[in-house]
Amino acid sequence: MRDTRAINQFLVTSGHRISDNPAVSPDLCLDPPAMKEAIRQELSRLVELTAPKGGGASHGLYRIAAGRIDLFPASELVVAEWRLFVVEDRVTGDAGLLVQGALPIPLPGAAPLGMSMQFVPLLWDGLAALKNLILEDDPGSTVFPVARGTLSRSSIGVGARFTTLHWPAVAWVMKELGLSLTANQNSIPRELVYDVDAMLEGRLAHVPFPFIGGAVPEGHQGQSVEGMTHAAVIAYLKTGLHHRRIPWGFNADHQPIGGRFDAIEEELARGCAFASYITFDLSPELALTPPLSSGHEVEEAFSALSEPLLFSRVLARLRPLGLGVEPAQARRLFVTLLPAMRKLKRRDEAYTRVRRELFTTAIGRRYFRELSIDELPGRTSAETLAFCLALAEAMGVEFDYVAPAIGFQKNFPFEDNEELRKIVTSLYRVARAFGVSIGFHSGSGKSAENYRVAGEVTRQALEIKTSGRYTYEMGVALWRSRNESDQALWRDWYAFTRELAVEGAFSEDPVRQKFARDFIRHALAFEGIDEGRAFDSSESLRAALSALPLSPDHMYFFEYNFLFVLAAGGNPGALGDHGVAGYAQRARFYRVSDEARFLYAKGVASYLLFLVEETGLSDASRVAAARERLLALPDHDAFERDLVV
């Protein structure tokens, strides 16, 4: 293990390998020499399996074993004079490419094996070279996430809460419906580690979570953005999705603009270089902007900006829209937004430069852009939305999506569908005038009617972003599994969320207390139980909740469950632990039974089918056929085989 990344050494020496802790390291192979030797021992069998004719590599199998090495037949990829297959060490989870071809393939780390075969360990430093090699040979390839096709206008954004465990379900839905999805999505660095060395050295910042009255370290899902990127590409390659030529997307969500993130701009741009879709979030910078209390302060700030021509261009763009932005309001918006937009443009230029340095093709460098203003206080008015888009346009930054604050509460339906229709109609009128689609953030847990309204009003020019639902679906899968180890994990997970709810209900922080009590009341109502004197004390509340049946549909489980994944020892007081104990906790989820994996895949796929049907992104008859096919699959093995059929 000499001359390897520090993160790889940490994982191996602490007993964590990719098989039970995927996507922590940017590399998908922690020990290339050992994997090369394991492949060499099975080389004759692997040569037989990868033979163009007469082998066993094309008989509808997801994986074929050769000793401890698994070959993924559907991953076959022809690039110039080479044929590539994904192979994986079943014990460690280390992965690489088995390459057939007489000439050396120009990829870092490629090593000859004999019999016209080569081995390429899947290392982060070689991923750009692999992308360039593929796209130079075939610009229409869909091996990597790509910014083209219907993704420019509409999609469902799928949050990568359990990394490798949910991607097969997403691939299954895409192949069944022939539909492009934003198949990989996470907030960076809120959910993912952008710098694994900073993680190991304890330099990660903390992110506030008001509803728990505290904070957890950045990257609270325990994986790196590079590792997630790398693993997603290979996961979809294993399923053979690239043979179907369906473009899929990767959204680097909520890229924070301003504040302390100015200092790590380069790291963020490089870490997210493979994303086909960047969401620029103005919240950090605007949160640091002191409000201007008087018209005199606004005029002083306006003069200091020295941008009268830019301001005039913005107003000229707004006039035909007939929104009636008052001069005073326009100036206040201008002085508030322009400093943040300048930083956004600088970040966008960093992304463009990094991609130009890394990638050799125009399609490989391209990415969609989204402007996010959804985390600002209050709902976004049509006037504010128009001003933001007009300012961006005047500054030379054109967006494909915009995420206004609709009024969505995470994991709760929007109560009044007529009010929702009015809000979306007003905002979409502006979005359409600028040629952008609407991104609906906090999209999990909305009603069928909510999704139908969003789809109908925007005429499917939208993206619904979902994340929390996929953690919930894992809870459902474990709850339903008959495997005792799965049940033990479920009981521990539920008890953790119940304890956080009790602690929160008696917190001195009023925000934390209110949210916790709302979640608890929702759970009691779900079970048809009057709260009575449950809130008299923490003891009485704990007793009341302990009498409830364990259910993933209790709102406090839904809201607090994501914090369990990296809580050392399952302790509510040890959230976001990026040490050995935190990763030991995370490993429990990647050791679940095949039964739980199957239930999880069915749950994720079913939810995606529901979303695309209600929003109108896919034909109802095709969704119905897919749903029927999914229900007919008996087990995990059958599901994996169906991925490649």
Side-chain angles (χ1 to χ4, degrees):
M1 292 297 295
R2 291 180 299 175
D3 301 322
T4 61
R5 294 179 188 271
I7 185 65
N8 295 354
Q9 293 177 337
F10 163 77
L11 290 168
V12 173
T13 57
S14 61
H16 296 307
R17 300 302 294 261
I18 292 171
S19 55
D20 65 14
N21 259 297
V24 181
S25 169
D27 298 328
L28 298 193
C29 187
L30 305 185
D31 191 348
M35 186 174 186
K36 180 183 175 183
E37 182 56 32
I39 291 172
R40 193 186 296 279
Q41 291 178 11
E42 306 297 335
L43 188 57
S44 296
R45 173 63 173 154
L46 290 168
V47 168
E48 175 189 344
L49 291 174
T50 56
K53 294 180 181 179
S58 57
H59 294 290
L61 296 175
Y62 179 67
R63 72 181 83 216
I64 303 175
R68 64 186 285 172
I69 299 298
D70 283 339
L71 171 81
F72 295 85
S75 68
E76 180 179 3
L77 177 65
V78 178
V79 182
E81 58 263 53
W82 300 282
R83 293 171 65 239
L84 286 63
F85 295 84
V86 175
V87 287
E88 191 172 274
D89 186 315
R90 196 177 317 106
V91 176
T92 65
D94 281 2
L97 297 175
L98 188 63
V99 181
Q100 183 186 67
L103 294 177
I105 192 167
L107 294 175
L113 295 167
M115 303 176 71
S116 295
M117 302 294 278
Q118 302 166 62
F119 166 62
V120 180
L122 284 169
L123 305 177
W124 175 254
D125 292 341
L127 195 60
L130 178 63
K131 179 177 177 177
N132 292 335
L133 183 69
I134 292 171
L135 288 177
E136 286 169 8
D137 181 69
D138 177 11
S141 171
T142 57
V143 169
F144 282 81
V146 63
R148 70 159 177 261
T150 58
L151 292 171
S152 66
R153 183 178 186 271
S154 59
S155 185
I156 302 296
V158 187
R161 286 299 177 92
F162 283 106
T163 324
T164 53
L165 298 181
H166 87 290
W167 285 326
V170 183
W172 188 90
V173 170
M174 286 194 286
K175 70 99 174 173
E176 280 298 303
L177 301 181
L179 179 69
S180 292
L181 297 175
T182 303
N184 192 45
Q185 172 190 298
N186 268 107
S187 299
I188 304 151
R190 183 164 61 187
E191 295 175 339
L192 304 187
V193 176
Y194 67 91
D195 183 347
V196 289
D197 291 331
M199 180 193 85
L200 289 175
E201 295 163 12
R203 294 188 282 111
L204 291 180
H206 278 63
V207 180
F209 283 83
F211 64 89
I212 64 168
V216 296
E218 290 174 335
H220 63 71
Q221 290 186 22
Q223 59 197 28
S224 69
V225 58
E226 294 97 337
M228 184 191 69
T229 302
H230 206 168
V233 170
I234 301 307
Y236 291 120
L237 188 60
K238 287 178 183 178
T239 70
L241 187 67
H242 57 294
H243 297 304
R244 303 176 188 276
R245 312 289 279 187
I246 300 172
W248 60 278
F250 165 24
N251 174 217
D253 199 9
H254 284 295
Q255 288 291 283
I257 302 298
R260 65 182 178 84
F261 299 103
D262 291 344
I264 60 169
E265 204 157 53
E266 185 72 11
E267 291 93 332
L268 288 170
R270 290 197 174 274
C272 302
F274 288 82
S276 59
Y277 173 8
I278 304 293
T279 296
F280 297 88
D281 183 5
L282 297 182
S283 302
E285 183 67 15
L286 295 181
L288 295 173
T289 303
L292 300 172
S293 58
S294 68
H296 176 68
E297 288 182 341
V298 171
E299 289 303 316
E300 283 190 337
F302 182 82
S303 297
L305 288 174
S306 301
E307 290 280 11
L309 292 178
L310 178 63
F311 182 65
S312 296
R313 288 201 300 273
V314 172
L315 293 184
R317 182 67 172 90
L318 293 178
R319 283 189 200 102
L321 302 181
L323 290 173
V325 181
E326 296 294 329
Q329 179 191 12
R331 290 196 173 217
R332 184 178 291 273
L333 284 169
F334 188 74
V335 299
T336 301
L337 290 170
L338 183 56
M341 290 297 296
R342 284 172 171 169
K343 291 190 174 185
L344 183 153
K345 184 173 182 180
R346 188 179 72 194
R347 178 75 60 81
D348 186 52
E349 290 168 348
Y351 279 118
T352 301
R353 172 180 49 77
V354 165
R355 288 156 190 261
R356 191 168 54 245
E357 294 170 1
L358 286 174
F359 307 133
T360 57
T361 64
I363 188 61
R365 293 169 175 169
R366 188 181 177 201
Y367 58 99
F368 299 133
R369 296 167 177 85
E370 178 180 49
L371 175 62
S372 172
I373 51 177
D374 78 300
E375 296 200 357
L376 302 180
R379 292 180 183 173
T380 303
S381 68
E383 291 78 10
T384 298
L385 180 63
F387 196 95
C388 288
L389 291 172
L391 177 57
E393 188 179 274
M395 294 176 69
V397 183
E398 295 188 5
F399 289 97
D400 303 276
Y401 289 84
V402 65
I406 302 289
F408 278 1
Q409 179 73 21
K410 292 182 184 296
N411 304 319
F412 282 94
F414 194 98
E415 292 292 338
D416 187 338
N417 279 292
E418 286 309 309
E419 177 66 14
L420 179 62
R421 186 176 294 274
K422 292 177 184 177
I423 293 169
V424 178
T425 298
S426 173
L427 295 173
Y428 181 62
R429 187 177 296 119
V430 172
R432 185 174 57 188
F434 285 89
V436 302
S437 297
I438 293 184
F440 291 84
H441 293 200
S442 300
S444 290
K446 304 300 172 282
S447 68
E449 292 80 4
N450 293 164
Y451 296 127
R452 281 199 292 273
V453 166
E456 289 170 6
V457 173
T458 64
R459 302 173 189 176
Q460 289 74 51
L462 84 169
E463 181 180 42
I464 305 290
K465 292 197 173 185
T466 54
S467 289
R469 179 72 185 211
Y470 308 114
T471 322
Y472 161 81
E473 290 294 350
M474 177 59 77
V476 173
L478 295 173
W479 175 58
R480 292 178 58 195
S481 172
R482 296 162 297 179
N483 180 278
E484 181 48 41
S485 179
D486 295 340
Q487 281 293 308
L489 176 55
W490 159 243
R491 289 191 295 269
D492 290 348
W493 196 6
Y494 180 88
F496 168 90
T497 63
R498 183 175 59 204
E499 187 58 31
L500 275 180
V502 172
E503 288 181 10
F506 293 93
S507 170
E508 294 181 0
D509 183 312
V511 176
R512 181 186 180 191
Q513 183 185 112
K514 179 184 184 305
F515 274 113
R517 293 191 176 212
D518 285 348
F519 302 153
I520 290 167
R521 289 188 175 105
H522 189 283
L524 292 171
F526 178 82
E527 296 295 346
I529 296 174
D530 187 87
E531 69 178 71
R533 303 186 62 181
F535 290 104
D536 282 2
S537 68
S538 58
E539 291 76 15
S540 62
L541 182 58
R542 190 174 286 108
L545 297 185
S546 295
L548 300 181
L550 279 59
S551 171
D553 290 314
H554 291 162
M555 188 55 69
Y556 52 80
F557 174 78
F558 204 131
E559 296 290 346
Y560 295 128
N561 57 27
F562 74 100
L563 294 166
F564 182 71
V565 176
L566 216 63
N571 181 357
L575 306 179
D577 186 323
H578 289 92
V580 175
Y583 282 106
Q585 170 77 351
R586 184 175 186 262
R588 297 181 70 186
F589 286 96
Y590 295 94
R591 294 173 182 155
V592 298
S593 70
D594 279 354
E595 181 184 7
R597 288 172 183 263
F598 178 52
L599 290 168
Y600 183 56
K602 288 181 70 176
V604 171
S606 295
Y607 185 62
L608 291 174
L609 292 175
F610 162 73
L611 288 176
V612 300
E613 181 176 27
E614 297 302 338
T615 55
L617 290 180
S618 187
D619 180 74
S621 62
R622 192 160 185 178
V623 172
R627 191 174 285 123
E628 184 177 347
R629 185 181 184 96
L630 183 64
L631 290 172
L633 296 173
D635 54 31
H636 186 253
D637 286 343
F639 177 79
E640 286 195 331
R641 288 194 300 272
D642 205 57
L643 279 170
V644 300
V645 172

